[in-house]
Each structure stands twice: as structure tokens, then as C-alpha cells.
Amino acid sequence: MLECLTNDQRRVMQIVLYRRTLSLTSGGGQLIRMQAEGLRSAGEQVRIACQRGGLRFMLRSGMRASKGTVATLGRLADSPNYLLVDHGMEVPQADLVFVHNVMIEAVRHIDRPDWVKRAAEEEAFFSRLAPHVKVVANSNLVRDALLKHFSLRPERVDVQYPGFDSARFHAPVRGGQHTPAESSKAEVNAGRLRRQARADIAVSEHEPLIGFVTSGEFGKRGLDIFLDAAERIASVRPDLRFLVVGGKRLPEQAARHRLVGTGRVTYRPKSLRPQRWFAALDIFLYPALFEEFGMVVSEAQASGLPVLTSRRVGAAECLAPAYEPWLIDAPDGAAFAAKALALLEDDDARAELSRAGMASIPAYDREHYVQATVETIRQCSREKVRSGGSGTG
């Protein structure tokens, strides 16, 4: 427990990264790991705290996560010896807040009665958060929602786009930063991964494959819209196959869908190696009803895939200018089907989007995210020290 830290540990300013549930299959858990590694490399004392998932997180990442309640973390934040970074909008005494989800905006687009309570909890959190505390949104989509719903001062809210794990998602790039030998090796590895993944789902190399990859929350991420688009596409292109990856199982209604029953849509549960599924695809379709960011969009681009999504997805802000004609304003099955069919018929457009994505996405990789967020956290720590521990700057 966090209450059991020794007196020696209390004499040093320690940075505590908190999220209620830790999981490396979610974007939030991956970003906390990146921050912890970056802070430790910078010589900072850092701890990770959670209420659930700590053991599995430790086994998979090698990083210990202490168990701590909101009350305990609040007391730590009040101490001049600790800097509390809240990744879940739960501890109003926090010194710095990273916002990954904003339910008060999500419920405007998604019918989830259980999220209404969480939206009310967000309002209560921001009403108690000290007016000097810096807030970091993961997209301008989220920043706009925070300013609109919680009346935060604009200068309090920064945007730092989440970084994807660039070591895991990498497609061959010719004429870029890589040598011909490196690009050739990457191409061979990508080809091998593609063949293996396609063999696993019984899709031949010559069958076009459109896919949807997510960690879960199929209702929010628009699985029904994906299946609607797939049905429309399949009526025009009977040679096409579809892949859905995410969650532990398909929702019952989706499992009964005609294309699932005929095998045109293949399902696989989420895993720690989504890169193999990206390698199998020809087009990545992300039809989320509302997505604060959507790291899978970055991962798909880094894998060399052309992406179809909407402006209701925060990661769409990071797409290259070449994507402008292919973006839609709001998720819609008919619109996605029309875009997908047009893209399938246009080899040059697919190649252009692939090149544009791979050229632009390094600006949003792990290294850039760690550098930006670690500096934000360390600046917050310096301000707390200067203020004598009150955090008022």
C-alpha cells in the first residue's frame, strides 16, 4: 500500500502516476508505462498506483504498481513530497491531470445510461479541482469538450497527442530515414507477418481485406456501423473479406449478423500483438461514434495502412493533408462504404495515403510523446517545489 512508504522515501519528491485500472491492452495503460520509463530515464523518482490490474501490469511490463485508494492518493497530493498525476479524473487534489476519456461529451453521441453517472462524476471532479491545476487533453476534440462543459480557462488545458509504440508498428519506408537494407528487412518481416496472419483467418493473398481493430467497447467504437458498411461493400464486391478484432467475444447481435454466419466477417479477440492483424489488412476502417483519440489509428498508419475514419475521432486531427477528401464528418455506414469502394478501386490513392501516413506519423510516436509529457510533469514538479508544496506556482 502507498501508506507504507518509508521516511527515507518521503524526503524525496516522488511522482505518482495513478489510474484506477491498469491494462496494457488499453491506451491509458500503455501511456502510463511510457511516462514511467521516460521519467525514470530522466532521473526522477516515480511510482505507479492503481486499484485494479496491478499484478497483471507488473507481470507484463516489469513495473510494480502500488495499490492506493482515492483518499490515500489525495493525502499524498497534499504533501510537498509527492506530485500526483491523475490519469482518471478521480483525485481532485491532483497536481496534474491527463484526460483520456470525457463521458460528458461521449453520452451526447452514445446511448449509455451507465455513463451518465460517470459524466456527473466528471462534473464533480472539475468543480473541486484547484483552478491552477494544469489539464492535458489527448486531442483538440477533448479540449473543446472540456472548455465547453466545465468552463475551464483555455490556458489551463494543453493538448498532447498520445504516442504509439513505434518499435512494434513499423512498415518499410523507402527514400526516408531508413537505409535500403533496413527497408528491405522491414518489408520481408511485414510480408511474413501478413502471410501468417492471413493464413490464421483463411484469407488468401489475393482477397482484399478490410478490418476493424480495437481493444473493446464495441458500442462506442461503432461495430454496428462497421457491419453496416461491410454489408453494403459486400453487395458490390463479393470477393471482399472483413476482419473484426477486439474484446473477449463478439456481442450476441453482431455474432448473429449474416456476414459473420457466412464467414465473410472473421472475428478474433483482442491480444497484445495487434500488429499482426494490421499486417493482414488492406484498409483500416475505424467507425467510432465518438473517440477521444484512438491510438489504433496511429498504429494502422505506422503499419502502412490507408485509414478511413471520421472527425468524431481525435486521432483524425493527426492525419496528413492527403486524407482530407477521405474523411467524413460523422460515422455513417453508407458513407464509409462509398469511401471504401472508391479507395479499393484506386491503387494510386491507397498508395498515396499509405505514404502520407508513414511520413507523418513519426511526429506522434513514443519518443515524441514521452519527451513532451515528461517535460510537462517535471515542470509541474518544479513549480510545486518553488511554491513550497502548495502547487500554486
Side-chain angles (χ1 to χ4, degrees):
M1 295 290 288
L2 288 170
E3 297 97 322
C4 299
L5 298 178
T6 68
N7 289 332
D8 287 341
Q9 288 172 312
R10 291 180 185 276
R11 294 191 188 104
V12 179
M13 170 71 82
Q14 293 210 9
I15 296 168
V16 180
L17 308 177
Y18 168 71
R19 187 170 175 85
R20 176 182 286 268
T21 302
L22 284 176
S23 171
L24 287 177
T25 59
S26 74
Q30 294 173 43
L31 296 175
I32 286 175
R33 179 177 64 177
M34 291 180 197
Q35 287 183 357
E37 291 173 345
L39 287 163
R40 286 171 181 166
S41 295
E44 299 289 350
Q45 298 285 329
V46 60
R47 301 177 74 86
I48 300 173
C50 67
Q51 295 189 40
R52 294 190 296 268
L55 178 59
R56 180 173 293 183
F57 184 87
M58 181 184 72
L59 292 174
R60 289 180 172 176
S61 70
M63 294 183 173
R64 181 173 178 270
S66 302
K67 201 166 187 179
T69 64
V70 169
T72 299
L73 292 160
R75 289 194 294 273
L76 288 183
D78 287 335
S79 165
N81 300 309
Y82 296 94
L83 184 89
L84 179 65
V85 181
D86 185 354
H87 281 266
M89 294 187 293
E90 287 192 88
V91 188
Q93 300 93 332
D95 301 291
L96 178 63
V97 178
F98 280 82
V99 178
H100 303 281
N101 303 102
V102 57
M103 294 302 170
I104 198 168
E105 181 67 18
V107 294
R108 295 183 61 244
H109 307 287
I110 305 161
D111 184 16
R112 284 287 298 266
D114 56 320
W115 286 359
V116 174
K117 179 183 177 183
R118 292 172 63 183
E121 291 170 348
E122 289 174 354
E123 289 190 277
F125 172 82
F126 280 107
S127 70
R128 296 177 60 194
L129 189 68
H132 67 271
V133 173
K134 180 70 72 177
V135 177
V136 180
N138 57 0
S139 66
N140 280 300
L141 188 70
V142 168
R143 183 178 187 272
D144 291 345
L146 295 174
L147 297 180
K148 176 176 67 175
H149 293 295
F150 304 124
S151 302
L152 302 179
R153 299 194 314 275
E155 62 270 20
R156 285 183 63 188
V157 187
D158 290 341
V159 173
Q160 292 177 345
Y161 293 114
F164 69 98
D165 190 345
S166 38
R168 296 169 61 204
F169 301 93
H170 174 70
V173 181
R174 294 181 179 83
Q177 298 177 354
H178 304 285
T179 67
E182 288 172 333
S183 290
S184 177
K185 182 179 179 181
E187 190 168 9
V188 169
N189 290 338
R192 183 186 302 115
L193 198 60
R194 179 180 176 89
R195 289 190 295 274
Q196 291 171 348
R198 283 185 164 236
D200 183 61
I201 56 177
V203 173
S204 74
E205 179 57 34
H206 303 293
E207 290 178 290
L209 183 64
I210 296 177
F212 169 42
V213 180
T214 180
S215 59
E217 286 288 1
F218 281 129
K220 179 182 182 184
R221 272 63 186 262
L223 175 58
D224 57 339
I225 296 176
F226 179 85
L227 292 174
D228 177 35
E231 194 156 29
R232 295 170 185 271
I233 295 166
S235 68
V236 178
R237 290 287 301 265
D239 59 323
L240 224 70
R241 297 282 299 275
F242 305 90
L243 174 67
V244 174
V245 177
K248 295 181 179 178
R249 63 186 66 84
L250 271 181
E252 185 176 346
Q253 184 174 354
R256 295 198 303 266
H257 193 278
R258 182 181 66 84
L259 291 181
V260 176
T262 60
R264 295 286 296 280
V265 172
T266 301
Y267 168 74
R268 289 293 183 271
K270 68 179 179 181
S271 75
L272 291 174
R273 295 187 67 244
Q275 59 267 39
R276 67 194 302 261
W277 302 123
F278 288 124
L281 301 179
D282 296 301
I283 294 175
F284 180 67
L285 174 54
Y286 196 63
L289 297 175
F290 176 79
E291 181 68 83
E292 290 84 352
F293 185 73
M295 198 183 297
V296 288
V297 172
S298 298
E299 293 168 348
Q301 287 187 90
S303 302
L305 282 172
V307 174
L308 292 176
T309 190
S310 82
R311 291 182 176 86
R312 289 243 198 102
V313 173
E317 298 167 18
C318 303
L319 293 174
Y323 270 95
E324 185 62 29
W326 300 97
L327 266 176
I328 62 176
D329 289 331
D332 176 79
F336 277 132
K339 294 289 186 184
L341 286 168
L343 196 54
L344 285 166
E345 293 297 324
D346 194 333
D347 294 345
D348 291 339
R350 290 200 310 278
E352 180 188 18
L353 294 184
S354 176
R355 286 193 299 268
M358 287 190 291
S360 65
I361 202 61
Y364 307 102
D365 68 4
R366 181 187 190 281
E367 180 180 350
H368 287 79
Y369 178 77
V370 168
Q371 183 178 1
T373 60
V374 165
E375 177 52 35
T376 295
I377 294 169
R378 297 183 81 191
Q379 178 61 32
C380 189
S381 177
R382 290 190 290 268
E383 290 175 358
K384 187 166 184 176
V385 170
R386 284 198 299 267
S387 66
S390 66
T392 57

